[in-house]
Amino acid sequence: MPVPLDGIVFGYAAQNHSKFLLYCFMAALCSALGSLVPYYIGRAGGELFLLKRIDRKRYEQLRDRFERQEFLAIMIPALLPPPTPIKLFEIAAGVFEMRPLAFTLAIFIGKFLQFLVCALLAIFFGPTILRTLTELLHEHVGYILGIGGIIVVLLIVWVVRKLFDRPKGTRFPVEEASSDLPDPDLVPEE
């Protein structure tokens, strides 16, 4: 279950400037340990999950990148802000059998740098940003609730359509490659 650690680090660093490095270290450590779950899911059989989410060409590009620079292929997405699909890269690291220690270290370094930037922003601009956001929320609460409600309704409609409009019996790309072989149930025994 993802937790928005950026906001937590921002809040703590804005309140207590002297311990911002400790907050960054703790958040990066927790993030690195938590990322081991999708990593081991990828190790256990995430290839089908990956192929369901991305096409074969993107899968091959991802595999090639891991073969060339696996450490940077994990550290750079971990360094990027939250909309980045980091879980996809964590599962891919498991699928492509990256060493667990190198994986954890890459996530830790990337997240530490990300939280460090967030903490420094909180220290230098924190009170001003928080005051401005609070004023904006109070002035435009109706618009925010309206837009949030529309987004929730659209998300529910999208999920319902995805559940009921998907074709039945869709085959995975891996299954299609093995469909050339004869079915063992239909082959007569000798």
Side-chain angles (χ1 to χ4, degrees):
M1 185 168 123
V3 177
L5 290 175
D6 294 7
I8 295 170
V9 169
F10 188 88
Y12 278 113
Q15 290 179 356
N16 190 353
H17 301 324
S18 63
K19 296 183 180 178
F20 77 96
L21 283 175
L22 176 66
Y23 301 141
C24 294
F25 179 82
M26 288 175 17
L29 182 65
C30 291
S31 184
L33 292 177
S35 67
L36 287 173
V37 172
Y39 171 80
Y40 281 112
I41 288 174
R43 276 267 171 125
E47 185 174 358
L48 289 176
F49 176 81
L50 250 147
L51 287 171
K52 189 175 179 183
R53 301 287 187 269
I54 59 176
D55 62 346
R56 177 60 82 175
K57 181 181 176 191
R58 177 84 170 124
Y59 176 83
E60 298 293 333
Q61 289 173 342
L62 202 57
R63 189 190 68 219
D64 293 342
R65 182 162 197 180
F66 268 93
E67 287 176 358
R68 286 186 314 235
Q69 302 168 331
E70 65 182 17
F71 192 83
L72 289 177
I74 288 295
M75 191 186 86
I76 291 173
L79 183 68
L80 297 175
T84 305
I86 185 69
K87 298 297 180 221
L88 178 69
F89 290 97
E90 291 168 354
I91 291 172
V95 168
F96 303 132
E97 298 179 358
M98 184 176 180
R99 294 180 318 276
L101 183 62
F103 170 78
T104 307
L105 189 62
I107 291 286
F108 177 79
I109 291 171
K111 288 297 183 180
F112 182 78
L113 292 174
Q114 177 189 4
F115 295 139
L116 184 64
V117 168
C118 184
L120 290 174
L121 287 174
I123 290 170
F124 293 115
F125 303 110
T128 306
I129 291 173
L130 291 175
R131 189 176 332 105
T132 304
L133 285 176
T134 305
E135 290 172 2
L136 282 172
L137 285 174
H138 286 287
E139 289 176 16
H140 304 292
V141 72
Y143 292 122
I144 293 170
L145 290 175
I147 291 171
I150 290 170
I151 289 172
V152 167
V153 168
L154 290 174
L155 185 64
I156 289 171
V157 167
W158 180 77
V159 167
V160 168
R161 288 194 61 183
K162 280 288 190 183
L163 287 175
F164 293 111
D165 287 348
R166 64 187 172 111
K168 304 295 182 212
T170 304
R171 300 178 72 117
F172 288 110
V174 173
E175 293 172 341
E176 289 174 3
S178 66
S179 66
D180 299 336
L181 301 174
D183 190 6
D185 295 332
L186 299 177
V187 175
E189 294 183 20
E190 295 178 15

